[in-house]
Structures are given as C-alpha cells and as structure tokens.
Amino acid sequence: MTSREEHQTLREMLGSLALGHLTAAEADRVQAHLDGCAECRAELAEVASVVPLLDRVDPVTFASPASPPADLGARIRAAVAAEPPRTDDLAHRRTSRHARPGRTRSRLVVAAAAVLVVGVGIGGVVGRATAPPEPAAAPGPYEPITLEEVGDVDLVVDEAGLVPHTWGVELAMDGAGFTEGAVYRAKFRDEQGRLQPAGRFLGTGAAEMSCSLQSGVLREDVQEVVVVDEQGRTVLRSAL
Ligand SMILES: [Zn+2]
C-alpha cells in the first residue's frame, strides 16, 4: 500500500479513533501514520474537538429527523463551484514558470475546468489503460513546441509543449480563440505518416484555456503535431 492509499484509508478511521472505537491494533496503526502525517493530525484535532459535543446531543431530538433545508443542493453546488478545481502538476509548473501579467490565475484555472479533455481513439485509450502509475514527481522533461496557425483561423497559442512518458506522450497547450463549444482534436503523425488520435478538447472562445492531451504514441515516433477542427480541417501544425 502506498503512503497515499494508507493516508486515505486511515483518514476514514480518525473519527473512530477519536470516539475510542478502534481495536488496539487499529489504533496503533493509525497512531503510526499520524506521527508522519501533519494533515491527519490536523484532521484528528478537528474531529476530537467535536467529540465532547456529541455527549451533549439528546437522542430524543433524532426521533423525527429534520429534513434538509430546501436550498441545500444549491448551496453545495455553489460551494463546489467556488472551490478552485484541482489542476495537474504540469499546469501548476507551467503557470508558475510563466507568470503572465494581465492574465489572472483564476481566469486560467476556470478556463481549465471548462476544457473537456478526453482520451479518444486507440492511441489515447490504450495509452491510458496500460499506463503504469508514474510517480507524480517524475514527469519527463517538458519540450516546448511551436504550433503555427494553418489557413484562415484566428487562434492564440500562448504555450505548447510535449511531455514524454513511458506510455506515450502528452501535449500541453494554453491558448484562446478556439470556437466556443466546438470540438477540436489533436493528432500526432507517427513515423509511418499516420495520424494518431491524441484526444480532443472543447473551444472556449475568447476565454483562455489550458489543456493536456495524451496519446499512446511514443515521443520518439512523433513527427508532427496537428490540431483539427470539427470539420477535420487542420488549424494548427507543428513540425518537430
Ligand atoms: Zn494522513
């Protein structure tokens, strides 16, 4: 079990620990984890602070359970919407490396959340399905690439780059001007000249988006990166 899995599992036992409901062996195991995990220690402190209050709860008041407030669902959705979405480390790294004046972080993050990134096609699906878990701290070197507009399009690519993995390659791209709601597809041309699918994303109009597209094609086999629009027309191209 990785320490992360251990953390998730033991975290759910903190409530039982605070209530004294664990066996000695379970309590020892949780205690051992607590020694090395500040996050769980903080959570336990919070849980423990509530325990004395539980003693004062009158069980009779639970005889007729209160129904949740009518607006509970809306409040939860609002709270979730207000919470910054998790972005992958790559997005973090790129954003922190390239602080862009005039573009706020929150705008970028919101746009990232709006982008639909789905691995499609054999390349993408195989790449995902067979990918061994890689330590998050060990992505391959980031290789910036230049994506040039093809034809009569008005796209802005602020940054694009490839990240090689053992299972294939990842295309990371920040940009704007992709027709809002339109589906774009990224493809990699392999050494046989075939275009391999590398996933798709939704345009966000003028709002900046940040996407990560993945393919089972290995970096050394990628000869060209292209992005095509809904009609299959190539809108971006990068010879490598
Ligand atoms: Zn923990």
Side-chain angles (χ1 to χ4, degrees):
M1 188 179 273
T2 68
S3 61
R4 196 69 208 162
E5 287 168 325
E6 175 102 341
H7 167 76
Q8 296 293 1
T9 305
L10 298 189
R11 195 170 185 141
E12 289 165 16
M13 297 165 76
L14 294 176
S16 302
L17 179 73
L19 291 166
H21 290 173
L22 294 183
T23 65
E26 287 170 329
D28 284 346
R29 188 171 156 219
V30 176
Q31 198 59 55
H33 175 73
L34 284 169
D35 291 339
C37 183
E39 206 178 326
C40 284
R41 284 199 301 274
E43 171 124 328
L44 177 63
E46 204 172 317
V47 170
S49 70
V50 179
V51 170
L53 301 177
L54 292 177
D55 290 334
R56 286 193 258 138
V57 171
D58 182 357
V60 175
T61 59
F62 288 116
S64 53
S67 48
D71 64 340
L72 181 65
R75 273 158 50 196
I76 290 172
R77 281 192 296 277
V80 169
E83 185 144 344
R86 299 178 77 101
T87 52
D88 59 77
D89 342 337
L90 185 64
H92 274 303
R93 283 195 291 132
R94 288 187 295 139
T95 308
S96 54
R97 270 198 308 122
H98 297 262
R100 299 190 197 93
R103 287 218 170 78
T104 65
R105 166 90 184 132
S106 61
R107 195 167 144 233
L108 183 65
V109 169
V110 169
V115 175
L116 172 71
V117 179
V118 186
V120 290
I122 293 169
V125 171
V126 168
R128 295 287 265 183
T130 59
E134 284 185 79
Y142 178 75
E143 175 194 352
I145 62 169
T146 304
L147 286 174
E148 308 206 321
E149 291 171 88
V150 179
D152 185 22
V153 293
D154 189 16
L155 304 172
V156 180
V157 177
D158 291 316
E159 187 175 1
L162 297 176
V163 182
H165 295 274
T166 51
W167 43 262
V169 67
E170 180 183 352
L171 167 65
M173 182 172 70
D174 290 352
F178 296 86
T179 305
E180 189 164 3
V183 176
Y184 292 83
R185 288 164 207 281
K187 300 181 181 196
F188 295 139
R189 192 178 299 283
D190 67 18
E191 52 190 354
Q192 278 88 42
R194 294 174 305 205
L195 279 175
Q196 303 283 1
R200 57 186 181 171
F201 58 94
L202 284 180
T204 55
E208 185 168 337
M209 54 156 218
S210 180
C211 59
S212 167
L213 302 147
Q214 296 166 348
S215 164
V217 181
L218 291 173
R219 170 62 191 93
E220 65 254 37
D221 296 334
V222 175
Q223 310 284 317
E224 184 187 34
V225 178
V226 299
V227 174
V228 302
D229 67 10
E230 284 187 319
Q231 286 73 43
R233 287 182 301 232
T234 299
V235 293
L236 291 172
R237 162 172 289 149
S238 165
L240 299 170

